[in-house]
Amino acid sequence: MAEIDPTYIDDPNGYVPPEAIRGAWLVDAHGRLTGAYEKNPRHGVPQDDFGRLDASDHWLGWLGDHPAAALRAGIEDSLRAQVADAVVEWVKILETPHFLTGGRPSSEDEQTLLVTRAALAAPFALSVRTAQHGRSVLLGVFSWAAVDLAPPGVRRDRHWFDLGVDLDWAAERLRQRVYAIDGPDDAAEG
């Protein structure tokens, strides 16, 4: 039975990051408390965790030199587009993201593939604070697609912030989304 620190989590029945657990009372095989208590050595301010993104062997060069920082910035931008004073306290990528990458052979070297489009769908849990609503812990999938990554086009990016969905749901839509950016009415970033 875990002891949740209310300093970091308002709803102990929702997602609880490991750092928000002060410790746990141990139970026996019958589910009865044993009287023993173990402190959580990781207890403290919840931190970002992009380990599942960073551990991927998928090429993420389209996100720049620091893919985790780019993904966090994309998430923050999406939230601030909805509520201007949104402050992201922490983000955790919960599963290995789903990736799509498309390309074409180089006209100069047939052995070289030029990446023309890329996308990812990353399941997350995050804490966001706003002046009007206080803290909220959100779960969902953040998707990002970019097209015209190889010259001569002008790169276009689009984000989707889907709450309450799982990775399978977002992965099913990712291919359609990455190609939808090519449409004439989709010149603006979202």
Side-chain angles (χ1 to χ4, degrees):
M1 180 182 300
E3 178 185 12
I4 309 300
D5 189 337
T7 305
Y8 307 118
I9 294 297
D10 299 328
D11 179 8
N13 296 315
Y15 177 83
V16 177
E19 301 95 333
I21 300 171
R22 285 186 175 146
W25 288 275
L26 303 180
V27 295
D28 64 19
H30 303 287
R32 294 184 297 246
L33 291 173
T34 64
Y37 181 84
E38 275 190 34
K39 287 186 174 185
N40 178 7
R42 294 181 59 195
H43 175 250
V45 178
Q47 303 295 310
D48 286 350
D49 182 357
F50 288 88
R52 293 176 197 257
L53 174 72
D54 295 335
S56 164
D57 60 357
H58 196 85
W59 178 75
L60 296 173
W62 64 280
L63 290 172
D65 292 337
H66 304 285
L71 194 63
R72 189 182 209 284
I75 290 169
E76 289 176 325
D77 290 347
S78 293
L79 287 167
R80 287 192 188 119
Q82 300 297 315
V83 181
D85 72 339
V87 175
V88 177
E89 296 178 316
W90 50 263
V91 177
K92 296 191 182 288
I93 301 301
L94 302 178
E95 297 177 54
T96 301
H98 180 80
F99 302 101
L100 289 177
T101 306
R104 61 176 163 78
S106 169
S107 59
E108 296 153 8
D109 177 7
E110 290 181 12
Q111 298 300 316
T112 300
L113 181 69
L114 298 176
V115 174
T116 58
R117 64 184 69 238
L120 66 79
F124 66 83
L126 64 80
S127 177
V128 61
R129 184 178 291 279
T130 67
Q132 183 177 1
H133 301 289
R135 175 191 294 129
S136 296
V137 173
L138 306 176
L139 293 164
V141 178
F142 179 74
S143 299
W144 184 342
V147 299
D148 295 328
L149 297 175
V154 176
R155 178 180 170 146
R156 290 179 285 161
D157 293 65
R158 180 135 186 230
H159 301 153
W160 293 265
F161 197 83
D162 298 304
L163 296 176
V165 303
D166 64 15
L167 182 57
D168 290 339
W169 183 92
E172 285 179 24
R173 285 153 181 82
L174 198 57
R175 182 176 302 278
Q176 174 188 1
R177 287 174 166 181
V178 75
Y179 283 102
I181 298 174
D182 291 331
D185 296 328
D186 207 0
E189 291 184 25

